[in-house]
Amino acid sequence: MLHSLLFYTWCVASAAAKPETFRSVLQAMNSTKFIDLFDAYGLQDYLDAQDDKNQHTLIVPPNDAMDETLVSKYELKDWLLYHVLDRSYGERDFYDNQLLATEAGKIFLGGNIKQRLRVHVTTQDQLTADKKLALQFGNAHLTGKPEFVESQGAVYPVDQALQLPGDLMHQLPAHLDLSTFVASLFASNTIDLVQHARGITLFAPTNDAFEHLGLVTKFLLHASHKDKLAHVMRFQALDKVYYQDTLATGEQTLPTLSLRHGQADQMYVNKTDDGKIYVRGYGAVDGTDSNVIGKVLGLDMLMRNGVVQKVDRVQLPKTLVFTQKDVLASADCCNGFLDLMEKAGLLPLLDPSSAADKQQAYTVLAPSDRAFAKLNLSHLLQDTELLRRVARLHVIPKPMPRLIDDGKKKKKNAPPSDKQRVTITLDTMHDEQQVVLTRMGDGDYYDTVYVKGLTQNRADIVSTGRVTNGGAVIQIDQVLLPREDFDARLPWWQVLLIVGMVLVFFAIIGAIGYYIWKRWQAYREGYARVEDQPNPDTVDSDQDDEIDQDPQQVSDEEAGRRHHHQRNSDELSQ
């Protein structure tokens, strides 16, 4: 009996002396399914090993939420490791939208890149001194107090199992402002490459970013340029994962998935001291050219094989070559202008591959076909000198004009003085002829253009497009004419319209004057107004009323009327 008692006491003491582990804590929480799955896939060290220098945090769902049948066997181990954070976290270590590194990621990210888990933190009882924190790990909410295990870390109970980030096509379609980018991935047949690449950073341009490209977007989306679109789409992806908080401060060049002759196209990525991130490909005038440089918008978007960063500009690689001629031919809007340039011998300027000086960048003002329809083309084509003058007036021997205040922050609720029109004067290839581009002070780009000294010949800017050598196409809705050739006279139909309107105006004035004169004449001749004449229908009743009146009153009234009539007659006779 004594020996049995001593043995029981020794067992209790041994159990009490045995250090607590994750496994024992999970057993106390009745999280047996979590334990069984970790043991079955060789992950038991995360439950048993004790190491002060290598602690972890477990996100533990209840048994009924650990349904491994919903996960493919290929992903199951990564899914389990997604419930393990790579260090120990206390409740106060979390902040809202923080990205937590997990032990998952080797399958889809490759190397030592760890998949991230976003945590949402909400402060409760803000009116009390002891504020409580409501934590949400991805899709799972915290359901109880965390347990802390010495030399191992912390255990956080949650209401459901975590879900690995979805693949690219599960993430992007939910963002409607990326619909053009998604369509471009499919149209260029690069969706499979981007979706299955291991460990990438994808810069996803918004719909507004594609609209900002203007005519270049039409060029890239043209069916005959699928290879060039694929080149651009591959250039939007870096071949390594860069979360915003892991990207080094300063500018660096990083390789993309776009390859030319075995070499990866490089993209410039710049993280400023205040945490803002900017990207640029090829074509920026300098580091402040907001026409080209893109800004990262919002937070990291996690995906299974990397991260998506939303940007406000589409970046173009240096190895992508297209010209003004290519853009105009694809847009199918300015065929008349191309014919004009060809007949004037200036078409090689729009195609640097055939031009003598390939380094010279030109900006062309391209009138639409509808604009040419307003001209007498037969006269223009017959007069060779006039044709050349008109063509040269539409060529600016400079790269695409940038905004004067590029790189400066726009003021919100700017006063009227800040919204005045801003102009820039540019030389053309026509001798001594310049054009003026104008815009509102807060405008995104110039909206009108006219020949200097000839504001009557003003054209609206419809769209723009920058080509890879720095030149540009600016589509306009009117053909500009040199000052010496511009006919300021109005067309015949406008003259007839104005004359007709003037005649109608004077006819109305004459009719009103005649009516007033007739009324005045009637008054002078003593004619009574129609409404003053007695109504025959009421004469009898009026006479009956007079019969009913007092005879003396009637005689007095009659005498008064006769006296008034006699006085009027005397005045007329005089």
Side-chain angles (χ1 to χ4, degrees):
M1 182 68 180
L2 179 61
H3 291 286
S4 299
L5 182 60
L6 291 173
F7 178 76
Y8 176 76
T9 304
W10 177 81
C11 290
V12 172
S14 299
K18 187 177 180 179
E20 188 179 43
T21 63
F22 277 158
R23 185 180 295 273
S24 61
V25 171
L26 293 177
Q27 289 173 342
M29 294 170 55
N30 196 32
S31 298
T32 56
K33 189 67 175 292
F34 192 92
I35 297 174
D36 293 342
L37 288 173
F38 267 65
D39 289 341
Y41 285 88
L43 304 176
Q44 58 271 14
D45 286 347
Y46 287 101
L47 306 182
D48 301 324
Q50 294 180 319
D51 186 353
D52 290 334
K53 297 181 180 180
N54 189 24
Q55 297 190 16
H56 299 89
T57 297
L58 301 184
I59 310 299
V60 183
N63 287 336
D64 57 355
M66 292 293 290
D67 189 356
E68 71 277 14
T69 62
L70 300 177
V71 184
S72 69
K73 292 184 178 180
Y74 179 70
E75 302 176 0
L76 208 150
K77 189 172 183 178
D78 227 36
W79 172 64
L80 292 174
L81 290 174
Y82 198 54
H83 293 77
V84 183
L85 306 184
D86 70 345
R87 72 179 184 87
S88 178
Y89 286 92
E91 287 186 277
R92 298 293 173 179
D93 293 334
F94 300 113
Y95 57 87
D96 194 36
N97 281 315
Q98 180 182 5
L99 289 183
L100 309 174
T102 71
E103 292 296 310
K106 292 182 180 179
I107 296 178
F108 297 102
L109 301 181
N112 296 320
I113 305 299
K114 296 182 176 182
Q115 185 59 267
R116 297 302 184 96
L117 172 66
R118 190 179 301 279
V119 61
H120 298 281
V121 180
T122 304
T123 303
Q124 298 178 335
D125 299 330
Q126 298 187 15
L127 299 179
T128 64
D130 185 19
K131 297 180 181 179
K132 297 181 180 180
L133 298 180
L135 301 179
Q136 179 181 344
F137 299 95
N139 57 300
H141 294 81
L142 184 67
T143 59
K145 292 183 179 180
E147 297 286 345
F148 295 94
V149 180
E150 186 177 356
S151 300
Q152 278 198 295
V155 178
Y156 285 80
V158 294
D159 61 348
Q160 57 184 303
L162 299 177
Q163 297 177 2
L164 282 168
D167 61 22
L168 184 66
M169 293 317 301
H170 280 87
Q171 300 292 78
L172 294 188
H175 298 266
L176 299 181
D177 59 341
L178 299 178
S179 59
T180 305
F181 178 63
V182 174
S184 299
L185 289 174
F186 279 102
S188 60
N189 293 329
T190 55
I191 182 65
D192 289 337
L193 171 67
V194 174
Q195 190 164 241
H196 296 109
R198 295 183 66 189
I200 64 171
T201 300
L202 184 63
F203 293 109
T206 63
N207 295 344
D208 289 341
F210 280 95
E211 185 177 351
H212 184 82
L213 280 182
L215 296 173
V216 177
T217 296
K218 295 182 179 180
F219 166 77
L220 293 174
L221 295 179
H222 195 275
S224 62
H225 299 144
K226 184 181 293 186
D227 59 332
K228 295 185 181 297
L229 179 62
H231 191 183
V232 173
M233 291 297 100
R234 292 193 297 269
F235 187 68
Q236 309 308 308
L238 304 180
D239 71 348
K240 189 177 179 181
V241 179
Y242 295 95
Y243 299 106
Q244 293 183 19
D245 61 351
T246 61
L247 192 65
T249 301
E251 185 174 76
Q252 50 190 315
T253 56
L254 302 174
T256 69
L257 297 184
S258 175
L259 299 176
R260 274 293 185 269
H261 308 297
Q263 298 292 325
D265 288 322
Q266 303 288 314
M267 181 180 291
Y268 295 90
V269 180
N270 182 23
K271 184 177 181 180
T272 60
D273 293 334
D274 58 358
K276 296 179 181 178
I277 300 174
Y278 299 90
V279 295
R280 64 182 174 94
Y282 180 71
V285 176
D286 53 38
T288 64
D289 189 355
S290 63
N291 278 328
V292 175
I293 297 174
K295 180 181 179 181
V296 172
L297 309 172
L299 304 173
D300 301 271
M301 295 167 52
L302 301 176
M303 64 178 178
R304 188 159 302 180
N305 64 326
V307 63
V308 178
Q309 308 289 357
K310 192 181 295 186
V311 292
D312 64 354
R313 293 288 185 272
V314 181
Q315 299 306 310
L316 302 179
K318 185 177 182 179
T319 53
L320 177 71
V321 178
F322 59 94
T323 66
Q324 288 99 329
K325 181 182 176 182
D326 296 330
V327 171
L328 290 172
S330 300
D332 195 27
C333 63
C334 306
N335 296 319
F337 177 71
L338 290 175
D339 292 340
L340 174 71
M341 297 296 287
E342 183 177 11
K343 289 180 172 58
L346 299 177
L347 192 59
L349 299 182
L350 309 185
D351 189 6
S353 61
S354 61
D357 186 3
K358 298 182 181 180
Q359 301 302 319
Q360 176 65 50
Y362 294 90
T363 297
V364 295
L365 304 171
S368 63
D369 291 335
R370 182 175 296 182
F372 275 100
K374 301 175 184 178
L375 290 181
N376 186 345
L377 286 179
S378 58
H379 173 68
L380 180 62
L381 296 176
Q382 291 172 3
D383 191 337
T384 306
E385 289 302 319
L386 173 61
L387 184 146
R388 290 176 179 174
R389 289 195 299 270
V390 173
R392 297 175 72 87
L393 184 62
H394 289 78
V395 180
I396 301 171
K398 287 184 178 180
M400 182 175 183
R402 60 177 292 182
L403 294 181
I404 296 174
D405 59 351
D406 260 357
K408 296 181 181 179
K409 187 176 181 181
K410 292 182 179 180
K411 299 178 182 179
K412 293 184 177 180
N413 301 323
S417 59
D418 288 349
K419 295 186 178 181
Q420 295 176 353
R421 297 202 68 83
V422 177
T423 64
I424 179 174
T425 303
L426 300 170
D427 294 328
T428 69
M429 292 189 65
H430 188 290
D431 295 337
E432 299 181 357
Q433 296 276 334
Q434 296 176 310
V435 293
V436 181
L437 275 69
T438 71
R439 65 177 176 87
M440 293 300 296
D442 58 352
D444 291 332
Y445 198 69
Y446 300 100
D447 51 27
T448 59
V449 59
Y450 61 88
V451 179
K452 185 177 181 181
L454 192 62
T455 57
Q456 303 98 313
N457 191 203
R458 182 184 298 268
D460 290 333
I461 294 177
V462 179
S463 185
T464 63
R466 182 195 297 261
V467 298
T468 47
N469 72 340
V473 175
I474 299 178
Q475 182 186 353
I476 56 179
D477 67 348
Q478 296 287 342
V479 179
L480 301 179
L481 296 175
R483 288 191 297 271
E484 63 271 19
D485 300 307
F486 181 74
D487 187 0
R489 294 174 299 177
L490 294 176
W492 64 269
W493 62 270
Q494 291 187 4
V495 174
L496 289 180
L497 180 62
I498 293 174
V499 171
M501 293 177 64
V502 171
L503 291 177
V504 170
F505 173 77
F506 281 108
I508 294 174
I509 295 298
I512 294 174
Y514 178 75
Y515 174 77
I516 295 175
W517 179 78
K518 290 291 291 181
R519 293 284 295 181
W520 180 76
Q521 285 292 106
Y523 175 78
R524 289 291 304 270
E525 294 173 3
Y527 293 155
R529 293 181 301 172
V530 173
E531 55 267 26
D532 292 339
Q533 299 298 321
N535 189 342
D537 296 336
T538 60
V539 171
D540 295 339
S541 61
D542 291 341
Q543 291 176 353
D544 293 341
D545 293 340
E546 291 177 359
I547 293 173
D548 295 339
Q549 293 178 356
D550 182 79
Q552 182 62 38
Q553 181 181 356
V554 171
S555 61
D556 292 340
E557 290 178 355
E558 181 65 24
R561 282 196 296 269
R562 291 177 179 177
H563 175 72
H564 179 70
H565 180 70
Q566 182 64 37
R567 187 177 62 183
N568 289 341
S569 300
D570 294 340
E571 289 176 354
L572 290 174
S573 62
Q574 291 176 2

